[in-house]
């Protein structure tokens, strides 16, 4: 098929009987014809192939081009792997020989993706839940999220939403990645753990900014469809604005620095990548947050933990060493968690200066805490006494979960 025109932003093609040299075409093969592993050879005689891309178009906005040589081009629309659309690429993009791409005839104010017609477009946008997407999505593929999501945070420029599903669990090998009863009931330092939200989160890049970011926080959204850009910190770029619904009763999880820790001592509920959270009991020191030392009834569980700070949102906010802070933040994953447990272990015996290797936190709204908390916790509890999960000493422990000498103990 040869590019003919664009109509309502969609590229239109016309079928041809003969293929001419130096003219770009798109060749579509029905999915039912499984040609995996098949070598396809095109040959001709007495044809001069020109070394420069030659483009033909009758559209008003775009031209379609093809190349016979390897090229590195910027400001083009490259056809994605699924053949469903041509995606804008502002940076240099490698174009292999005998690959087609699109260019703007005149520079446009916005660079919306160009949908391509036919069966490929309809079949290659996969319907998935957010749990399936974050568990087994493929970067570069196009997805339609079937869940109703809730917006937890909107970027200051209004161009990105951070949204969650409804307390679902990511799928690993088509099996829900759910914590065991022991893990979910083991411990959480602020609220009833049965209410702790284990929803999945995703960042959604919008084609245009929302006018009032604060107004959209807490709203439900549907119709989220676009290209998956990142899986470690799930991110999708959509070509059309989602549909906004009513405000929901969204409350972010409240965490402490121990929730971000690495080692297997005992479990705290971990954050999800791109999750919007509240963080309490954070002592700042030289670009890191630490747990406070146990004093004045705070951190009676003697937890430890260290996490690095991402200043991409708070900018040049001047933190003060040894000051306690509480703040809202975006959670950024540094690497995938390899444990099969949904709970992140809290560090009890870690020494200060060993930050989490799994997470960074990007503070958003920050306030210092007017308390006497001003020291970092690095002393494990080694008095031999059993403590319950409220940090209270227990003389005659009954079956249950306790902390003893800084470690989780289960009495059956």
């Amino acid at each position: 098929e040869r590019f003919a025109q664009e109509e309502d932003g969609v590229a239109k093609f016309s079928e041809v009987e003969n293929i001419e040299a130096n003219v770009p075409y798109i060749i579509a093969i029905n999915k039912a014809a499984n040609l995996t592993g098949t070598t396809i050879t095109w040959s001709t005689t007495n044809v001069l192939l020109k070394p420069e891309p030659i483009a033909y178009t009758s559209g008003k906005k775009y031209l379609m081009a093809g190349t016979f040589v390897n090229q590195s081009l910027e400001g083009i629309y490259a056809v994605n792997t699924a053949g469903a659309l041509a995606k804008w690429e502002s940076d240099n993009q490698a174009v292999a020989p005998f690959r087609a791409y699109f260019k703007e005839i005149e520079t446009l104010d916005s660079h919306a993706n160009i949908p391509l017609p036919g069966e490929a477009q309809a079949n290659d946008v996969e319907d998935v839940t957010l749990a399936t997407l974050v568990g087994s999505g493929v970067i570069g593929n196009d997805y339609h999220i079937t869940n109703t999501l809730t917006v937890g945070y909107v970027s200051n420029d209004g161009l990105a939403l951070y949204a969650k599903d409804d307390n679902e669990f990511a799928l690993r090998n088509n099996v829900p990645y759910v914590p065991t009863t022991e893990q979910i009931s083991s411990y959480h330092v602020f609220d009833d753990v049965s209410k702790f939200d284990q929803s999945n989160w995703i960042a959604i890049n919008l084609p245009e900014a929302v006018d009032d970011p604060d107004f959209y926080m807490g709203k439900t959204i549907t119709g989220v469809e676009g290209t998956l850009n990142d899986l470690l910190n799930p991110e999708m770029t959509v070509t059309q604005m989602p549909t906004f619904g009513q405000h929901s009763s969204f409350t972010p999880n409240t965490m402490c620095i121990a929730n971000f820790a690495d080692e297997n001592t005992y479990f705290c509920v971990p954050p999800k990548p791109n999750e919007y959270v509240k963080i309490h009991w954070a002592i700042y020191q030289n670009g890191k947050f630490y747990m406070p030392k146990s004093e004045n009834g705070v951190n009676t569980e003697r937890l430890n933990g260290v996490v690095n700070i991402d200043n991409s949102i708070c900018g040049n906010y001047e933190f003060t060493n040894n000051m306690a802070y509480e703040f809202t933040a975006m959670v950024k994953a540094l690497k995938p968690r390899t444990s099969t447990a949904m709970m992140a272990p809290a560090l009890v015996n870690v020494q200060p200066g060993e930050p989490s290797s799994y997470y960074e936190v990007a503070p958003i709204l920050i306030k210092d805490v007017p308390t006497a908390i001003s020291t970092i916790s690095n002393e494990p509890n080694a008095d031999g006494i059993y403590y319950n999960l409220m940090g209270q000493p227990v003389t005659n422990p009954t079956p249950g979960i306790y902390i003893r000498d800084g470690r989780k103990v289960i009495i059956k």
Side-chain angles (χ1 to χ4, degrees), residues 146-293:
T146 57
N147 307 72
T148 296
L149 305 180
T150 300
V151 177
Y153 177 69
V154 183
S155 63
N156 291 333
D157 60 10
L159 285 171
L161 309 177
Y162 293 81
K164 58 177 282 294
D165 58 20
D166 188 15
N167 201 33
E168 294 196 8
F169 295 97
L171 300 180
R172 299 292 191 274
N173 298 321
N174 295 319
V175 177
Y177 198 50
V178 183
T180 66
T181 302
E182 173 188 322
Q183 291 165 353
I184 197 67
S185 63
S186 61
Y187 189 64
H188 186 257
V189 294
F190 294 106
D191 302 310
D192 179 354
V193 294
S194 66
K195 297 179 182 178
F196 197 87
D197 191 344
Q198 282 282 283
S199 297
N200 301 288
W201 286 75
I202 189 168
I204 303 168
N205 299 319
L206 302 175
E208 60 187 67
V210 295
D211 51 2
D212 182 357
D214 289 342
F215 174 76
Y216 290 91
M217 292 175 63
K219 274 187 168 290
T220 58
I221 56 171
T222 55
V224 177
E225 182 175 308
T227 304
L228 184 64
N229 304 326
D230 192 354
L231 200 54
L232 177 61
N233 292 286
E235 177 185 304
M236 170 182 281
T237 297
V238 299
T239 56
Q240 296 184 345
M241 294 292 284
T243 301
F244 291 92
Q246 301 297 316
H247 278 93
S248 65
S249 55
F250 165 69
T251 302
N253 286 325
T254 302
M255 297 185 173
C256 64
I257 301 304
N259 289 85
F260 300 89
D262 290 358
E263 295 180 356
N264 293 313
T265 304
Y266 63 96
F267 290 103
C268 283
V269 180
K272 296 295 183 69
N274 276 339
E275 181 177 356
Y276 175 72
V277 300
K278 290 182 179 179
I279 298 177
H280 289 189
W281 298 356
I283 300 289
Y284 176 81
Q285 189 175 93
N286 299 327
K288 302 177 179 64
F289 283 119
Y290 297 77
M291 284 295 295
K293 188 174 180 179

Side-chain angles (χ1 to χ4, degrees), residues 324-336:
Y325 291 91
E326 61 182 47
F327 51 92
T328 57
M330 295 304 305
V331 177
K332 295 298 180 182
L334 301 176
K335 65 180 181 181

